Amino acid sequence: MLDKRVCRTTVVGVTLTLLAGCAASSGIEEDSIGEYFARDLPGISADPMMSPVDNPILEARGLHNPPPTLIRRALLAQHERWSGTPYRLGGSTFRGVDCSALVQNVFNDTFRFDLPRTTEEQVHAGLQVDPDALRPGDLVFFRPPGVYRHVGIYVGNGRFLHASTSQGVMISNLDNRYWQRHFWQARRTLEPTQLAQRLGDSGEG
């Protein structure tokens, strides 16, 4: 009988020791994982397959968000700032603004980048890009009926910021039949990464 009690006590003791060991080891493992992701990983930039220049993780860390996200947020903030401003040909203030003046103001305020004043001049800025490859910050141009050309800034998700002649500063959908019919071309003044860096310099975002 005594032997059975001793054996049972020994088994229970061993089991508790094993359980305690698992719990302790689990806690250490969780702490180690947390510390692992909280610190800079040694040697990640020294990986021969990935240099610091083309490492997207380091780039995203430096900018806090991917460039398109930063640019989109900045442009949406500009929309809130200009929303309600009526269209006025030749205007460049919150009392009234035309399409090219809005684009010029937004680029100057947000990216510290000087664009020409008129649509005819802006259409020569940067490089032409395929409509299917649009990125936030690209300029989109249209040829509506009449003598004037129209310009806006692509903000992502198929939408662009512009000064509409009928509704003032607003965001419209490129898939709208009217804009599809009169689409002219798109141009990229700077790559998204460069725009995002200028955004950081300007204190936006």
Side-chain angles (χ1 to χ4, degrees):
M1 186 71 175
L2 182 59
D3 291 342
K4 287 184 179 178
R5 286 181 184 173
V6 170
C7 186
R8 186 176 301 164
T9 303
T10 303
V11 170
V12 170
V14 171
T15 302
L16 290 174
T17 302
L18 289 173
L19 288 175
C22 289
S25 124
S26 175
I28 292 171
E29 189 172 298
E30 289 174 1
D31 291 343
S32 299
I33 291 173
E35 291 173 4
Y36 179 78
F37 285 108
R39 69 176 187 266
D40 290 333
L41 301 184
I44 190 168
S45 61
D47 187 334
M49 299 299 292
M50 187 181 293
S51 72
V53 174
D54 59 18
N55 185 341
I57 298 174
L58 293 180
E59 181 180 357
R61 181 190 298 166
L63 296 172
H64 304 296
N65 277 298
T69 300
L70 284 174
I71 295 168
R72 182 183 301 112
R73 287 178 181 174
L75 292 175
L76 292 177
Q78 285 286 359
H79 170 250
E80 291 184 9
R81 184 182 178 203
W82 285 89
S83 182
T85 302
Y87 180 90
R88 183 165 68 87
L89 183 62
S92 59
T93 70
F94 292 105
R95 294 191 300 272
V97 67
D98 63 26
C99 62
S100 57
L102 175 69
V103 168
Q104 184 188 48
N105 276 315
V106 168
F107 262 72
N108 186 273
D109 293 344
T110 307
F111 306 115
R112 298 296 185 265
F113 188 84
D114 292 326
L115 282 174
R117 171 62 181 86
T118 67
T119 307
E120 287 75 13
E121 293 171 314
Q122 289 175 3
V123 78
H124 298 293
L127 299 174
Q128 189 168 350
V129 294
D130 192 281
D132 293 330
L134 282 171
R135 304 293 296 274
D138 289 345
L139 303 182
V140 285
F141 295 88
F142 305 87
R143 282 175 168 163
V147 296
Y148 296 108
R149 304 296 179 244
H150 191 67
V151 62
I153 308 171
Y154 186 69
V155 299
N157 298 324
R159 292 172 171 81
F160 66 103
L161 170 66
H162 66 125
S164 162
T165 56
S166 59
Q167 300 182 54
V169 176
M170 62 182 297
I171 289 178
S172 296
N173 199 320
L174 281 172
D175 289 337
N176 177 281
R177 188 176 302 175
Y178 178 86
W179 298 116
Q180 278 188 331
R181 185 185 310 127
H182 299 296
F183 184 84
W184 180 12
Q185 62 174 289
R187 302 190 74 84
R188 182 165 298 157
T189 57
L190 288 173
E191 289 299 319
T193 301
Q194 295 173 298
L195 282 181
Q197 288 170 345
R198 286 175 170 269
L199 176 65
D201 292 340
S202 68
E204 298 285 345

